[in-house]
Amino acid sequence: LSDTAAKIWINAQVSRCDVNGDSFINKADINLIMAAKNTPASSATDPRDADGNLIINANDARQCTLKCTNALCQ
């Protein structure tokens, strides 16, 4: 008699810039960041706040554009 176990690793931390949580950084995420431009971040881990300064701004969108998953941030 033997037992079998499986381990599934889940990354529970939301990545900076992956605003919609779909595991891709793309134009949808950039649009969500720009929609919140010039507003305070919801927390120190807000994925819209790429630079961690607690203000969502155009610099965050720029940093996230550089991290886009696909070419041309499609």
Side-chain angles (χ1 to χ4, degrees):
L1 192 60
S2 70
D3 292 325
T4 303
K7 186 178 274 190
I8 300 171
W9 297 98
I10 298 173
N11 183 1
Q13 182 180 9
V14 175
S15 172
R16 293 236 190 236
C17 300
D18 183 14
V19 179
N20 60 9
D22 67 355
S23 299
F24 298 99
I25 299 170
N26 55 31
K27 191 170 185 158
D29 298 298
I30 305 307
N31 289 341
L32 290 168
I33 293 167
M34 290 304 291
K37 190 169 78 169
N38 299 323
T39 63
S42 62
S43 70
T45 60
D46 190 325
R48 301 171 298 175
D49 185 22
D51 59 13
N53 70 351
L54 299 177
I55 299 292
I56 300 162
N57 55 37
N59 290 332
D60 298 309
R62 181 181 169 98
Q63 285 185 26
C64 291
T65 299
L66 297 173
K67 295 180 179 183
C68 281
T69 306
N70 299 317
L72 304 175
C73 206
Q74 299 290 325

